[in-house]
């Protein structure tokens, strides 16, 4: 009798232990609440996130020759087709290698057509920049350089490395000439440190000599200016010899609508923009000449000619109606 009751009690205990979960009920409930809250936060972020293209680089439409529809390509590739390169990041070894590769490809594609380099760089390493400089000097095609906003250190050096007469900057652009230190921290024995420093001094000396040749100043003057940070405005850079001309944007108003502070009318002051921001004949070269942009413009040459026809005079219209 006793053994029968003990066996039944053991069976009940075993069944209860089998039903009891390994994780406490409170932990399970906490996990479920946390998971639900996480889903709500994710849903809110998905609703608030800005819809954008799956890339950090802007995409623009481009219609290849012979294709019926447009395709989206990175804007840098679209500019490469017009031989325009924008330098907007710090120029290290990787960026310098990519720039050299692009320049060599453009040289192979057309050795006589101009290449445009637009600068807005916070700085550059010494040795990679010298490699880019040697590449620019070995090219036969004209190199146009334009400082958009800021050219610091070796970036200002590259701005002056363009073809003479094709080195420009915008009115609010700034230049900073300075010596460049070691690319990376260096440690070791005193002899090795001395060799590293001597190599850096030799590189800065070659840079100063090249800068003196490009600007027309003496080496002693350039070396003295590089002893401290040497800031130059757009017009000061022109006087120093870093660039050849400051581009002044043309005014959009009519001459009769322009007046000075006294109210007297004066003609607007402007100049040639030398193709700044222009894509040249890209439409005729990279697209079918019989098609337009495909984005709200005229689509065929016949439609454009139809719109360009002068309107008929009322007498001619009456004459045609009388003929009918």
């Amino acid at each position: 009798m006793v053994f029968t009751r003990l066996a039944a009690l053991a069976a009940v205990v075993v069944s209860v232990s089998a039903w009891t979960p390994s994780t406490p009920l409170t932990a399970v409930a906490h996990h479920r609440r946390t998971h639900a809250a996480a889903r709500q936060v994710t849903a809110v972020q998905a609703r608030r996130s800005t819809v954008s293209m799956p890339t950090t680089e802007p995409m623009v439409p481009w219609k290849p020759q012979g294709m019926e529809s447009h395709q989206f390509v990175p804007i840098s590739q679209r500019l490469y087709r017009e031989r325009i390169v924008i330098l907007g990041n710090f120029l290290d070894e990787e960026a310098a290698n990519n720039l050299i590769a692009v320049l060599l490809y453009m040289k192979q594609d057309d050795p006589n057509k101009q290449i445009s380099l637009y600068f807005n760089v916070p700085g550059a390493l010494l040795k990679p920049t010298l490699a880019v400089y040697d590449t620019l000097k070995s090219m036969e095609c004209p190199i146009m350089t334009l400082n958009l906003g800021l050219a610091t250190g070796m970036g200002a050096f590259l701005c002056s490395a363009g073809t003479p007469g094709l080195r420009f900057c915008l009115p609010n652009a700034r230049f900073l000439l300075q010596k460049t230190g070691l690319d990376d921290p260096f440690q070791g024995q005193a002899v090795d440190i001395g060799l590293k420093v001597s190599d850096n001094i030799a590189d800065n000396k070659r840079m100063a000599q090249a800068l003196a040749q490009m600007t027309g100043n003496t080496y002693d003057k350039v070396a003295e200016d590089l002893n401290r940070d040497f800031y130059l405005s757009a017009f000061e850079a022109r006087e120093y010899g870093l660039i050849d001309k400051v581009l002044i944007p043309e005014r959009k108003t009519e001459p009769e609508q322009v007046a000075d502070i006294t109210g007297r009318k004066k003609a607007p002051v402007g100049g040639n923009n030398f193709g700044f921001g222009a894509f040249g004949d890209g439409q005729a070269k990279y697209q079918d000449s019989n098609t337009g942009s495909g984005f709200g413009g005229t689509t065929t040459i016949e439609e454009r000619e139809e719109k360009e026809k002068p309107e008929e005079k009322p007498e001619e219209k009456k004459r045609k109606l009388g003929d009918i």
Side-chain angles (χ1 to χ4, degrees):
M1 185 70 178
V2 175
F3 289 106
T4 303
R5 291 181 177 179
L6 290 176
L9 180 62
V12 172
V13 171
V14 170
S15 62
V16 171
S17 62
W19 174 83
T20 304
S22 57
T23 306
L25 293 177
T26 57
V28 173
H30 177 71
H31 174 72
R32 290 177 179 175
R33 289 194 300 268
T34 304
H35 188 62
R39 288 201 305 269
Q40 293 177 357
V41 173
T42 304
V44 172
Q45 291 178 349
R47 289 194 301 268
R48 294 180 178 177
S49 60
T50 304
V51 179
S52 59
M53 296 181 182
T55 179
T56 57
E57 186 175 3
M59 308 286 285
V60 295
W62 175 66
K63 184 177 180 181
Q65 186 176 2
M67 299 291 292
E68 296 181 356
S69 60
H70 290 73
Q71 62 183 12
F72 282 88
V73 298
I75 192 170
S76 60
Q77 296 183 13
R78 182 65 183 90
L79 293 176
Y80 289 162
R81 297 179 184 277
E82 302 298 334
R83 303 173 71 87
I84 297 175
V85 182
I86 296 182
L87 304 177
N89 298 322
F90 187 85
L91 195 64
D92 54 5
E93 289 87 352
E94 182 179 0
N97 292 335
N98 293 335
L99 177 58
I100 292 174
V102 171
L103 292 175
L104 293 178
Y105 174 79
M106 292 181 179
K107 174 184 176 181
Q108 181 67 24
D109 182 61
D110 192 343
N112 299 319
K113 190 175 180 180
Q114 175 181 297
I115 297 177
S116 301
L117 301 180
Y118 293 170
F119 291 87
N120 192 14
V121 293
L125 297 181
L126 180 58
K127 291 184 180 297
T129 305
L130 292 177
V132 175
Y133 169 76
D134 292 337
T135 304
L136 293 176
K137 292 302 181 183
S138 65
M139 302 183 69
E140 298 85 1
C141 56
I143 304 296
M144 190 272 283
T145 59
L146 174 64
N147 182 7
L148 300 174
L150 176 65
T152 303
M154 297 301 291
F157 174 79
L158 286 181
C159 281
S160 185
T163 303
L166 295 177
R167 304 174 300 174
F168 310 113
C169 77
L170 297 183
N172 292 317
R174 293 294 180 269
F175 296 84
L176 172 58
L177 295 176
Q178 58 183 183
K179 289 183 178 179
T180 305
L182 298 177
D183 296 343
D184 298 311
F186 184 80
Q187 59 183 3
Q189 297 183 358
V191 177
D192 297 331
I193 294 176
L195 294 175
K196 189 71 174 181
V197 172
S198 299
D199 180 66
N200 181 257
I201 293 175
D203 288 340
N204 277 281
K205 183 177 180 180
R206 286 197 295 271
M207 183 267 292
Q209 290 175 346
L211 192 60
Q213 182 179 2
M214 291 185 296
T215 59
N217 297 312
T218 62
Y219 170 77
D220 295 335
K221 175 177 175 53
V222 173
E224 182 180 359
D225 294 335
L226 292 178
N227 287 332
R228 293 290 184 270
D229 289 349
F230 190 55
Y231 292 90
L232 293 169
S233 65
F235 295 96
E236 290 172 345
R238 184 190 62 182
E239 298 299 326
Y240 194 79
L242 276 178
I243 60 173
D244 301 308
K245 189 173 183 179
V246 179
L247 301 184
I248 307 297
E250 294 182 354
R251 297 185 181 181
K252 303 300 182 181
T253 55
E254 296 296 332
E256 60 271 15
Q257 298 176 353
V258 179
D260 58 13
I261 193 173
T262 61
R264 293 176 298 181
K265 296 180 180 180
K266 53 188 296 188
V269 180
N272 194 346
N273 59 6
F274 291 91
F276 171 54
F279 276 66
D281 57 348
Q283 174 75 17
K285 183 176 181 180
Y286 296 106
Q287 298 184 9
D288 186 3
S289 59
N290 195 36
T291 60
S293 63
F295 290 87
T298 44
T299 57
T300 62
I301 294 179
E302 289 75 12
E303 292 180 4
R304 290 197 296 267
E305 292 178 350
E306 186 67 23
K307 289 186 176 182
E308 293 175 357
K309 286 183 178 179
E311 296 184 359
E312 297 180 353
K313 297 181 180 180
E315 293 78 6
E316 296 178 355
K317 291 183 178 180
K318 291 181 180 179
R319 189 180 303 110
K320 289 183 178 179
L321 292 175
D323 295 339
I324 294 175

